[in-house]
Every structure is written in C-alpha cells, then in structure tokens.
Amino acid sequence: QLLSQVSYQNGDIIVRVEKNKFTVTDNQISENKVEKSKIVELAKRFIQRHKHLSFTALGVNFDAVLEFEIEPGFLKSSFLKSNKVVSGDHAVENVGLNLHYRIEKGGLLTLVVNEGKLAKQNSPEPLEYKGIIFSANFHRDIPKDADMALVISQLNHVREDKKMLAEIVKSFSV
C-alpha cells in the first residue's frame, strides 16, 4: 500500500514509502557512479529521522545488462543438458534463472537472470540489442532491537554489492 512517493525533478531518483517498506531508487546509477549516487545518503537520513520505526531488513537492488549477440536459447543450452525435458514433446522453450548466493553476515543475494532484447535509451534513433538481463536483490536481515548504527552500517555495503554483481555478470560473458 503506497503511502507516499516523491520523484525528483530529473526523474532519476524516486523515494517511495509503503506501509512496510521504504525504497530509494536511482534510475541512472551505473557501475562507475555508485559513489556519486545520492540514494545511500537519502536512505541514511530517512533512517535517522525515523528512529521510532523498527527496521527488520535492508534490501539493495541493482539491474545490470551484459550486452552481446547471443543465440536464442543461450541460457537453456548453457544450463540444461540435452534430454527429454529439453527436446521432448513438451520441450523447454526458454530458461530463466534464479540464483542465490550467501553474502557476509547472513545476507542473501537473489539474482534473476534472463535473456532479452533491449532498447538503448537516450539514443538519436532506437537501437535494439540482445543480451542477458540481471536483476539483483542484496538482502540483509536486521536483528530485532538493533540500534540505528547497525541499520545504517548495512547501507555501507552498496559499493561492495555493486562490485560483486559486476564480477558475476562478467563471469557470464563468453
């Protein structure tokens, strides 16, 4: 249930407050601009101003794209061996992956991987390209009755999280 949403003038940063969730989104963050993004500072200020709230978890989400000319079914052929499931009467058409990685202090990275066709934004003419799309959620539980310093410290992992995602994405390149 949406309680409030603020979109900054340039439309790149969105602050959204729901009944059980607070989200700060930077739509223009890139691998090289994590340090310059204002989302961590905005989130820290929100947490500090709302000390009366009980935070149970912190999630950081990133999307990444590995752009390269892939054959349709690249993930299927890379992750499934040929058998009746792949080529039988009810053959698998396409494969998407949900990968889970343990991260420090009991955290979990959930990575959704799919093939796709993408359109390049901010281009004089529409350009379409193929690639692999990665959607990552870095989730860290926050212990009950945790002090604000611990909650805020969880935000300091953003650069490392983005770096880990970049390394995983790179491992998919052929």
Side-chain angles (χ1 to χ4, degrees):
Q1 178 182 7
L2 181 64
L3 300 176
S4 177
Q5 180 167 318
V6 176
S7 296
Y8 285 81
Q9 198 168 20
N10 64 5
D12 293 343
I13 294 181
I14 299 169
V15 178
R16 184 180 171 109
V17 179
E18 299 176 45
K19 185 176 178 184
N20 297 324
K21 185 165 54 171
F22 165 68
T23 308
V24 182
T25 305
D26 184 341
N27 289 317
Q28 293 300 315
I29 198 167
S30 71
E31 189 174 326
N32 301 324
K33 295 182 183 176
V34 173
E35 299 82 26
K36 295 177 183 176
S37 176
K38 305 256 188 271
I39 60 173
V40 171
E41 191 55 41
L42 286 168
K44 284 181 181 179
R45 280 194 262 158
F46 180 87
I47 291 167
Q48 289 167 334
R49 287 187 184 152
H50 297 87
K51 294 178 182 177
H52 60 284
L53 297 176
S54 175
F55 296 93
T56 59
L58 179 94
V60 176
N61 301 310
F62 294 109
D63 291 326
V65 175
L66 180 60
E67 179 184 342
F68 67 99
E69 229 10 79
I70 58 172
E71 293 298 319
F74 171 78
L75 290 176
K76 181 172 93 170
S77 64
S78 297
F79 288 92
L80 293 179
K81 67 179 186 173
S82 184
N83 60 28
K84 288 181 183 179
V85 172
V86 175
S87 58
D89 291 340
H90 304 287
V92 172
E93 179 68 25
N94 203 346
V95 170
L97 303 171
N98 284 326
L99 305 173
H100 301 275
Y101 300 83
R102 283 273 160 226
I103 53 178
E104 77 287 329
K105 300 192 180 185
L108 182 69
L109 162 59
T110 300
L111 185 62
V112 178
V113 184
N114 287 294
E115 297 176 23
K117 289 183 182 175
L118 304 142
K120 280 202 179 197
Q121 301 295 324
N122 305 326
S123 178
E125 50 188 80
L127 296 172
E128 188 176 278
Y129 61 96
K130 294 178 184 176
I132 300 177
I133 304 163
F134 300 83
S135 295
N137 171 261
F138 290 85
H139 175 94
R140 292 177 177 87
D141 288 326
I142 296 175
K144 191 174 182 174
D145 302 322
D147 66 350
M148 284 298 113
L150 176 63
V151 176
I152 290 171
S153 74
Q154 295 298 318
L155 289 167
N156 295 329
H157 295 287
V158 170
R159 280 186 207 92
E160 295 120 42
D161 292 347
K162 186 70 172 178
K163 183 179 178 187
M164 180 181 179
L165 176 60
E167 290 169 0
I168 293 170
V169 168
K170 189 176 181 181
S171 74
F172 274 77
S173 62
V174 287

